Amino acid sequence: MSAFELLHSGVKRAIWDMAWEQLNPIQAAAIRAIVQQTGHLVITAPTAGGKTEAAFLPVISQIADDPEGSIRAMYVGPLKALINDQFQRLEKICERCALPVHRWHGDVSATEKAKVRIFPSGILLITPESLEAMFTRRGREVPKLFAGLRFIVIDELHAFLDNVRGVHLRSLISRIKAHAGCAPRVIGLSATIGDYTAAKLFLEPAAPDTVILLEGPKLGRAIKLGIRGHASAVEKKDKEGRVVARLRLSAQEWEEKLGTLSADQFRKSQPLRESFQSGEFETDPQLVRTEIAEIADDICRHFRGGTNLVFGNSKKVIEVVADCCHQCAESERWPIDPFLVHHGSLSKDEREAAEETLKSDRPATAFCSSTLEMGIDIGAVKAVGQIDPPWSVASMLQRLGRSGRRAGEVSVLRLYTRDETPNDESTLTELLFPDLVRAVALVRLVIQKWLEPPDYDRMHLSTLVHQVLSHLRQTGGMNLRDLFDALSVHGPFRSVSQADFVALLRGLRDHELIEQTPEGAIILALEGENITADRSFFAAFESTEELNVMHNERHLGGLAANLVPPTGENLLLGGRRWEVVEVRDSEGIVLVKPSTHPRVPYFKGDRGEIHDVVVQEMRAVLAATGEPEWLDENARVLLRCARHVGQQAGVLAAGVIPDETGVRWYPWRGTKIVRTLELFARRELVTPSVDLLSLHYPGWDEERLRRHWRSIADFDGAPIELSDLMANKRFEKFDAFVSPALLNAANARDRLDLAGARALVGECLGRLGAVGASVA
């Protein structure tokens, strides 16, 4: 029997209606696996490879004849926009089967949700946060809603691996099984998974080998990629914070100036302190063109036609570049301004209007955050832009995959890097142009087909606190044994022992979030009731309080409360400039009007976590001699300069550079090992300064650093001795309620790499021994 013949008759009719000529291989394999086997599945295929249909054609076929009485299949997506898109796709198929399809998220009306609650049926599309709201607000209805649940489909599975939302989702799934008495098959979909073991553990931690893996064909899609390097302007400000001077060297000017500098200068804490005269700074800042303006010009030239996406690492930079592009379109009187903005802080109406424009035939370029990184169907994307390199290979690959999704098309990426113009206050690391070098390293790793492996053995104590409170809110109270079994035995928190679980509960008691009845039941205390009653509780991850930005009666979107400027000042939202008219804190509203004031400042966003392999590839980029053909001339010059500085300063060999204030060490490792090394220094009562690539030890010389290495190599203590020295121990939403001792244990396990740090210093000491033997 062919795969097509295994499908329900209504699904077959829907396929005929869509004029499909055939099922692709991954769809045929998924139909057979879902219809003829019983295990959980991971389905991987390239972007636009038909994964959604691969899962839902057989799922719909299995539930079409018995859709009533319970939700039969649940789709979980990371984004509301993705759910809306998939809702439209599934409706077309389900119409032929008379199978209801429902959405449930913050933008869906209470009336629509009530229909699902009263008459649960068919397919439900939902986010983890909305599922949490269901448990917290209507926990007693869960058995009725999900008693007959047969399938759970998790889209963009990679977005849930190794993070707070993923652990939260795993906990919610285990709770559905426990409270509804169902045993649904779980199907994970993804185009970007570097470690299939982690994906299998996510679906079935007790028996990962039973999970069926279906891999789609590797299409070998052609990539057209370019990196444009920029040196950003440096500003001098007066005591009031006003810009009074600006410096910006071209790449060629810096290369010429670099030739006049000696190797010794690069071994100073500020290598260029004596190399710049005040006269080199332009005292009329408006005469120095910023790199943002140049990036906007390039986007206007290359992203004017067709459908395009331009990603940024922060909403702020997205807004500023979009504003520049709007001004360009207005000043040059383009007949159509194609530039849009799409991110989570915009209102529902603004986001949906942008999505509709992207799907239309008119030219449209959306400046976006990760909201459009996922598989929302916006038609054929001509090209992708990226302002500032992402922090991971996985993110770069996901964004690159948004273009060239159709057969025969090329994936196009224009990546813009911004490193600070060399100036009198530059550090050695800044002279290595780390953003450009990281961008080159990421592209090289994409070409090598390397992806970051997930770290799936973390304790996730903040999320555990969240789920303890959620359980108690849903049930009204539980005893210790049942609570521990639900979360740590059958749930996702298997790294948390019973002793640690009890310690966590004591911390919640001490913060007056929970209390215990005379009969032994654990219940919410008043503060716990207040926390779980607030709608911000539904998300297990930290979210910033936002104020609603309004122009007349139009809701423009939200802005973090700490970013709202004073009355009369400017803000950017939706790629447009608005003047703040009034801030009504008590109502959570900011009233604005269109502004023609000068642009607001821009920001690059927070530093992300970076993997060892990425940093080591950055070192390889600096050590190489070839210039990739996908760099523009500016980027090539800047890369040559970075390599020259690296070689002159000695950052690539021993990586130890003494200066007049101490010694700087380039270990060429990622965030976890560098954080561990920083704590080893604190253990010796020294606070090193840490940048993206190096640690600087004040007052030390090379011999003192070598003795420090030996003390690390000889360290036989536990990682918790180091985590206790962390200045900032709180990283996640509910960490403040975890006892210090338990938080130290979690940070030692989740955020440090003691073995990696010791192995590194062992290599360093080994090289010293080899050099000593050679000299002898």
Side-chain angles (χ1 to χ4, degrees):
M1 184 179 291
S2 69
F4 183 77
E5 291 172 325
L6 294 173
L7 297 174
H8 187 273
S9 58
V11 175
K12 293 177 184 177
R13 286 194 298 271
I15 292 174
W16 292 329
D17 291 343
M18 293 184 289
W20 287 16
E21 294 184 2
Q22 61 182 5
L23 300 169
N24 69 27
I26 194 68
Q27 291 166 346
I31 290 168
R32 294 185 185 282
I34 292 172
V35 174
Q36 298 177 330
Q37 299 184 59
T38 59
H40 303 309
L41 285 88
V42 173
I43 302 175
T44 70
T47 303
K51 295 182 295 296
T52 301
E53 289 77 11
F56 272 105
L57 293 179
V59 165
I60 293 169
S61 296
Q62 295 289 287
I63 66 176
D65 289 333
D66 184 24
E68 306 294 336
S70 166
I71 293 164
R72 300 299 179 184
M74 181 172 68
Y75 166 99
V76 182
L79 302 171
K80 290 185 286 188
L82 184 57
I83 284 175
N84 293 338
D85 179 66
Q86 300 290 29
F87 176 78
Q88 295 175 2
R89 294 172 66 179
L90 291 178
E91 264 197 326
K92 294 177 182 178
I93 301 174
C94 291
E95 277 178 350
R96 281 293 196 171
C97 304
L99 184 67
V101 184
H102 314 279
R103 285 177 291 184
W104 191 304
H105 56 63
D107 294 340
V108 176
S109 70
T111 302
E112 291 299 312
K113 292 176 181 177
K115 291 179 183 178
V116 181
R117 291 173 42 229
I118 297 170
F119 302 109
S121 60
I123 301 173
L124 176 69
L125 291 79
I126 196 167
T127 63
E129 291 70 38
S130 292
L131 192 56
E132 174 63 51
M134 206 179 267
F135 273 100
T136 304
R137 290 184 168 178
R138 306 187 184 280
R140 298 188 186 280
E141 298 178 14
V142 168
K144 174 185 175 182
L145 290 170
F146 297 108
L149 184 68
R150 296 181 59 189
F151 296 96
I152 297 175
V153 178
I154 304 173
D155 204 357
E156 307 288 355
L157 179 61
H158 60 273
F160 293 109
L161 298 179
D162 180 35
N163 60 32
V164 169
R165 292 188 83 197
V167 176
H168 185 197
L169 176 57
R170 287 171 56 197
S171 181
L172 292 169
I173 291 173
S174 71
R175 291 168 68 182
I176 287 174
K177 294 177 181 178
H179 289 279
C182 59
R185 295 176 68 186
V186 185
I187 304 168
L189 311 178
S190 180
T192 314
I193 291 183
D195 184 347
Y196 293 133
T197 300
K200 291 180 176 182
L201 281 166
F202 188 96
L203 300 192
E204 182 50 272
D209 291 341
T210 64
V211 177
I212 302 165
L213 174 63
L214 300 179
E215 294 185 79
K218 303 294 189 294
L219 299 182
R221 185 166 49 206
I223 296 175
K224 185 178 180 181
L225 180 145
I227 294 178
R228 298 184 64 82
H230 295 268
S232 62
V234 176
E235 297 174 339
K236 297 288 187 181
K237 297 183 180 180
D238 61 17
K239 294 180 179 179
E240 283 72 39
R242 292 173 300 205
V243 178
V244 296
R246 185 174 280 158
L247 169 70
R248 187 163 183 239
L249 298 179
S250 70
Q252 291 73 19
E253 287 173 327
W254 169 235
E255 187 174 36
E256 183 178 336
K257 192 178 188 72
L258 190 60
T260 67
L261 304 177
S262 68
D264 290 340
Q265 283 187 260
F266 298 114
R267 298 187 178 92
K268 296 181 179 180
S269 58
Q270 292 180 309
L272 306 181
R273 169 63 73 181
E274 301 170 0
S275 301
F276 282 87
Q277 306 300 319
S278 59
E280 295 187 66
F281 282 80
E282 174 56 60
T283 55
D284 184 353
Q286 299 304 315
L287 297 179
V288 179
R289 200 150 190 269
T290 68
E291 80 289 352
I292 283 290
E294 290 181 356
I295 290 171
D297 283 351
D298 190 79
I299 289 172
C300 287
R301 285 195 301 271
H302 293 94
F303 291 81
R304 181 173 177 177
T307 300
N308 309 283
L309 300 176
V310 180
F311 292 96
N313 292 346
S314 75
K315 296 172 185 175
K316 298 173 187 176
V317 72
I318 289 168
E319 293 282 4
V320 174
V321 180
D323 175 57
C324 289
C325 290
H326 282 309
Q327 291 186 60
C328 174
E330 182 178 347
S331 64
E332 296 184 7
R333 299 186 177 182
W334 292 4
I336 297 176
D337 181 346
F339 300 112
L340 313 164
V341 174
H342 191 289
H343 56 66
S345 292
L346 293 177
S347 68
K348 169 194 171 187
D349 292 342
E350 296 290 319
R351 292 194 310 270
E352 290 184 351
E355 291 162 21
E356 288 303 313
T357 303
L358 287 166
K359 294 176 183 178
S360 70
D361 293 331
R362 61 165 282 188
T365 293
F367 292 89
C368 51
S369 61
S370 58
T371 53
L372 290 180
E373 185 177 300
M374 306 300 176
I376 301 170
D377 186 6
I378 54 173
V381 174
K382 175 184 172 185
V384 170
Q386 171 71 45
I387 304 169
D388 304 323
W391 292 97
S392 69
V393 176
S395 183
M396 174 174 277
L397 195 61
Q398 186 74 18
R399 294 177 178 188
L400 174 63
R402 295 298 279 142
S403 75
R405 297 174 65 173
R406 295 179 179 174
E409 291 183 341
V410 176
S411 292
V412 179
L413 174 66
R414 293 179 76 83
L415 201 162
Y416 304 92
T417 67
R418 299 182 297 154
D419 287 286
E420 191 171 78
T421 286
N423 63 88
D424 53 339
E425 296 184 2
S426 294
T427 65
L428 177 56
T429 295
E430 289 168 342
L431 297 181
L432 297 175
F433 300 129
D435 268 19
L436 171 62
V437 174
R438 187 170 91 248
V440 175
L442 290 171
V443 172
R444 286 171 41 138
L445 290 170
V446 167
I447 294 170
Q448 297 169 28
K449 295 182 171 56
W450 179 85
L451 276 174
E452 290 88 357
D455 182 5
Y456 48 80
D457 195 33
R458 295 174 53 194
M459 293 180 76
H460 287 286
L461 293 181
S462 171
T463 313
L464 177 55
V465 169
H466 179 265
Q467 287 299 282
V468 166
L469 299 179
S470 177
H471 265 280
L472 299 180
R473 178 82 183 192
Q474 177 197 358
T475 62
M478 299 176 68
N479 64 49
L480 171 61
R481 182 75 251 176
D482 290 343
L483 195 57
F484 177 73
D485 285 351
L487 290 167
S488 293
V489 177
H490 305 299
F493 303 98
R494 304 185 182 202
S495 297
V496 179
S497 67
Q498 185 166 349
D500 286 341
F501 190 85
V502 170
L504 181 127
L505 293 183
R506 286 174 178 155
L508 300 185
R509 178 202 60 195
D510 293 343
H511 284 91
E512 300 182 345
L513 269 63
I514 64 173
E515 57 190 15
Q516 197 164 19
T517 68
E519 295 75 26
I522 299 168
I523 62 173
L524 290 177
L526 179 59
E527 185 60 23
E529 292 279 3
N530 292 336
I531 289 173
T532 56
D534 193 287
R535 63 179 296 109
S536 64
F537 176 75
F538 302 150
F541 56 89
E542 187 70 79
S543 56
T544 304
E545 178 190 1
E546 290 193 342
L547 302 183
N548 290 312
V549 181
M550 306 290 296
H551 170 50
N552 295 332
E553 298 299 319
R554 179 183 168 198
H555 179 218
L556 301 174
L559 191 67
N562 62 329
L563 298 180
V564 175
T567 300
E569 296 295 321
N570 276 5
L571 61 83
L572 284 175
L573 193 62
R576 303 288 184 180
R577 285 174 288 173
W578 305 92
E579 180 183 334
V580 176
V581 176
E582 183 181 358
V583 179
R584 299 178 181 173
D585 285 317
S586 60
E587 301 175 46
I589 291 175
V590 181
L591 301 181
V592 299
K593 66 180 181 181
S595 172
T596 57
H597 290 190
R599 300 184 190 101
V600 298
Y602 71 92
F603 304 87
K604 295 187 72 171
D606 297 330
R607 182 185 299 178
E609 297 265 327
I610 190 165
H611 194 276
D612 288 343
V613 172
V614 176
V615 181
Q616 288 167 341
E617 190 67 19
M618 291 175 68
R619 180 184 188 182
V621 169
L622 288 171
T625 55
E627 296 174 3
E629 59 183 13
W630 27 268
L631 298 180
D632 76 338
E633 181 57 28
N634 222 41
R636 292 185 186 201
V637 174
L638 293 175
L639 180 58
R640 286 201 299 269
C641 293
R643 286 170 170 171
H644 177 79
V645 170
Q647 291 164 358
Q648 291 288 299
V651 302
L652 302 178
V656 177
I657 299 97
D659 60 36
E660 73 279 13
T661 64
V663 62
R664 184 174 299 278
W665 179 29
Y666 286 83
W668 299 107
R669 292 297 188 274
T671 306
K672 281 190 176 183
I673 288 181
V674 169
R675 185 183 288 128
T676 306
L677 295 173
E678 179 185 4
L679 295 174
F680 267 116
R682 288 179 180 273
R683 187 168 172 263
E684 298 188 26
L685 304 181
V686 172
T687 302
S689 58
V690 181
D691 58 33
L692 179 64
L693 297 176
S694 71
L695 301 96
H696 185 270
Y697 300 84
W700 285 16
D701 57 16
E702 292 179 85
E703 180 54 37
R704 178 67 185 85
L705 180 62
R706 293 188 189 106
R707 292 202 306 271
H708 179 59
W709 287 349
R710 293 187 185 98
S711 72
I712 294 174
D714 294 339
F715 180 74
D716 60 359
I720 196 170
E721 296 179 37
L722 297 174
S723 61
D724 185 47
L725 302 173
M726 292 173 66
N728 177 30
K729 300 180 182 183
R730 299 175 182 175
F731 292 84
E732 294 173 355
K733 187 172 183 178
F734 295 100
D735 280 349
F737 302 122
V738 180
S739 68
L742 195 54
L743 203 55
N744 283 340
N747 285 330
R749 180 170 183 162
D750 300 346
R751 304 188 184 279
L752 304 183
D753 185 354
L754 176 58
R758 295 186 64 199
L760 169 64
V761 298
E763 292 175 17
C764 295
L765 292 170
R767 285 196 296 269
L768 287 175
V771 170
S774 175
V775 171

